[in-house]
Amino acid sequence: MKNTTIALALSASLSLPVMADDNESTIIDGLDFGPLAQLVGTWISADAGGVDIAPAQKDLDVAAGTPAVTPFYETITFEVAADATNASDQYLVALYYKQEVFRKADDSKFHDQRGYFVYDKANQKVYNSFCVPRNTCVTAEGAAGNQMTLVASERGIAESNYMTENATTTDFTMSIQIEDDKMTYSQTTLLDIYGQSVSHTDSSILVKVE
C-alpha cells in the first residue's frame, strides 16, 4: 500500500444510503453515523487476503516503477471519535480508524494508516481523511451509502517537499462496499515517480470479528 492512493472497482449492486430515521442502529453514543455505523469494530482479512500492486523500488530485480505484486493480510479497527461543525453550517460525525497491513510472505508490516471516516448526514456525503508515514495525507469524498466511491477532493492531497519532487501523489480513488459483516474495497493512487505516471492499487475483502 505504501503511498496509498486507491481506485476501488467493485462489481455489486448499488445499495441505498442507510438513514437513521429508518434504522435506529445507526445511532451510537447519541450520534447518527448513518451507513458508517456498521463499520464500528475490528475487521480482519478474509482467507483470500488482499493484493497490493505498487511501483517497484530501484533495488529490486525488476525495472524501477514496474508493477510489484504483494499479497497481504490486514487488520482495520474503527471506533467513535467525535462530532464537529464546520463554518457554523456543516455538521459532521467521525469514526477514527487504524489500518495495519502485513506481507503474507514474511508477516512483516509494510503499511500503516491512521485516519477518519466522516459522515455529513444533511448532505449525504462521506469523507475518508487519512495519513500514512511517508509524509502524505489524503482527503477523499463521495455520496454516502453501503457502496461508495470516494475521490480525492480538489485540494485533498498534502505531502512533503521530497515527495512532491520524487514521488508525488496526483489522484486517489477508493470504492468500498459494506454488506453485513463483510467489507470489500479497491483503491487506486496515481503517482508521478521514476519519471513516469503509474498506478498503485490495493484490493481486499475483510470480515468483522468484533
Side-chain angles (χ1 to χ4, degrees):
M1 285 189 172
K2 305 182 181 180
N3 199 19
T4 316
T5 43
I6 317 162
L8 310 156
L10 301 170
S11 57
S13 59
L14 182 65
S15 299
L16 293 175
V18 177
M19 302 295 292
D21 291 341
D22 300 326
N23 188 351
E24 291 183 359
S25 66
T26 64
I27 306 294
I28 304 174
D29 295 344
L31 304 176
D32 183 4
F33 285 89
L36 300 186
Q38 58 200 317
L39 289 176
V40 174
T42 299
W43 301 73
I44 62 173
S45 293
D47 291 342
V51 178
D52 170 87
I53 304 175
Q57 302 276 353
K58 290 182 178 180
D59 57 354
L60 298 180
D61 294 330
V62 294
T66 58
V69 179
T70 303
F72 67 81
Y73 63 93
E74 64 185 319
T75 299
I76 307 177
T77 301
F78 296 87
E79 59 186 58
V80 172
D83 60 345
T85 301
N86 286 336
S88 302
D89 178 60
Q90 185 189 35
Y91 180 69
L92 306 171
V93 294
L95 297 180
Y96 165 76
Y97 74 90
K98 175 175 68 174
Q99 180 181 20
E100 296 178 295
V101 186
F102 303 84
R103 294 181 179 88
K104 280 190 171 182
D106 57 9
D107 296 322
S108 62
K109 184 164 74 168
F110 74 105
H111 181 77
D112 186 284
Q113 185 169 312
R114 301 291 189 269
Y116 296 90
F117 267 80
V118 182
Y119 178 51
D120 176 350
K121 180 181 178 181
N123 296 297
Q124 281 300 292
K125 295 194 74 171
V126 163
Y127 300 83
N128 180 10
S129 181
F130 66 87
C131 290
V132 294
R134 294 173 175 274
N135 298 321
T136 299
C137 297
V138 173
T139 295
E141 57 188 272
N146 288 333
Q147 179 173 308
M148 299 176 281
T149 298
L150 310 178
V151 180
S153 310
E154 185 175 346
R155 297 180 60 191
I157 299 169
E159 60 192 7
S160 66
N161 290 335
Y162 178 89
M163 294 300 283
T164 298
E165 294 167 3
N166 295 277
T168 189
T169 295
T170 59
D171 202 5
F172 172 85
T173 303
M174 177 181 194
S175 295
I176 181 169
Q177 180 178 339
I178 313 159
E179 184 179 6
D180 297 324
D181 289 337
K182 184 175 79 170
M183 172 170 54
T184 306
Y185 75 80
S186 172
Q187 57 189 24
T188 298
T189 302
L190 295 183
L191 303 168
D192 281 344
I193 187 171
Y194 306 131
Q196 58 185 315
S197 178
V198 298
S199 295
H200 176 186
T201 66
D202 297 280
S203 58
S204 184
I205 299 174
L206 299 96
V207 293
K208 193 174 186 178
V209 293
E210 62 179 64

